[in-house]
Amino acid sequence: GWTYDGQWDDDKMNGTGLYTFKDGSTYEGEFKDDLKSGFGKRNYLNGDVYEGEWKKDKINGQGKYLYADGSVYEGEWKNDLPNGNGVYTGTDGSRHEGEWKNGVKDGFAFKNYPDGSKYQGDWSNDMPNGNGTFTYANGFTQTGLWKNDNFME
């Protein structure tokens, strides 16, 4: 089963403690009424690590998620998904800094691609959509309307 080593109040996990799940993964941090709430660090079985704010057992607030592959998302979270402003850095050298909604890129952002290309502008549905400027690695620039990652005008 699971184990818990930490503070209790009214027969519930309240305060700080270390919870070890059945699969061996862990959460160390703050609890309120048996739920992860406050600041904590979760080590997942697959090697992912999240450190940041929790609310009612969900990742909510500011935090940093280090994926097992070496990529990182740091920023705002809501209901276990990137939501708000954040920065994602890929293992390929790409970097996306901007707005997220329900786990996908959505809103204004800056994106640096591994080949040296850059995009600055609107995103929706996880790709450039709306007004933006794409600067290719060779210096050529396209400014205007983008739809589903394609330049329209």
Side-chain angles (χ1 to χ4, degrees):
W2 56 272
T3 62
Y4 175 72
D5 182 19
Q7 298 173 317
W8 293 87
D9 186 26
D10 292 329
D11 289 327
K12 292 183 179 180
M13 295 179 285
N14 277 298
T16 58
L18 172 63
Y19 185 97
T20 303
F21 295 83
K22 290 180 189 179
D23 65 6
S25 61
T26 61
Y27 169 81
E28 186 170 12
E30 298 175 274
F31 291 85
K32 182 176 168 101
D33 296 330
D34 287 336
L35 302 175
K36 295 181 287 289
S37 287
F39 187 84
K41 181 177 183 180
R42 175 86 158 90
N43 292 295
Y44 296 89
L45 195 58
N46 69 354
D48 290 355
V49 177
Y50 171 77
E51 189 167 7
E53 296 176 297
W54 295 78
K55 185 177 180 184
K56 295 184 180 179
D57 247 10
K58 301 260 187 199
I59 298 173
N60 276 295
Q62 290 289 324
K64 183 176 186 178
Y65 198 107
L66 296 105
Y67 297 88
D69 69 1
S71 56
V72 177
Y73 172 81
E74 187 167 8
E76 297 176 87
W77 293 81
K78 184 177 180 183
N79 294 323
D80 291 335
L81 296 171
N83 207 76
N85 288 308
V87 177
Y88 175 84
T89 306
T91 57
D92 61 1
S94 62
R95 178 181 165 89
H96 181 94
E97 182 175 350
E99 298 175 54
W100 299 74
K101 185 176 181 183
N102 298 322
V104 297
K105 300 168 194 90
D106 193 278
F108 188 82
F110 298 92
K111 170 96 182 214
N112 294 330
Y113 294 87
D115 69 355
S117 300
K118 297 177 181 184
Y119 175 80
Q120 175 181 332
D122 297 324
W123 288 74
S124 71
N125 227 12
D126 223 21
M127 61 185 71
N129 271 304
N131 291 310
T133 299
F134 193 95
T135 304
Y136 295 86
N138 66 8
F140 179 72
T141 300
Q142 287 181 303
T143 299
L145 184 63
W146 293 80
K147 185 171 182 182
N148 297 326
D149 205 18
N150 293 305
F151 185 66
M152 302 305 290
E153 55 179 75

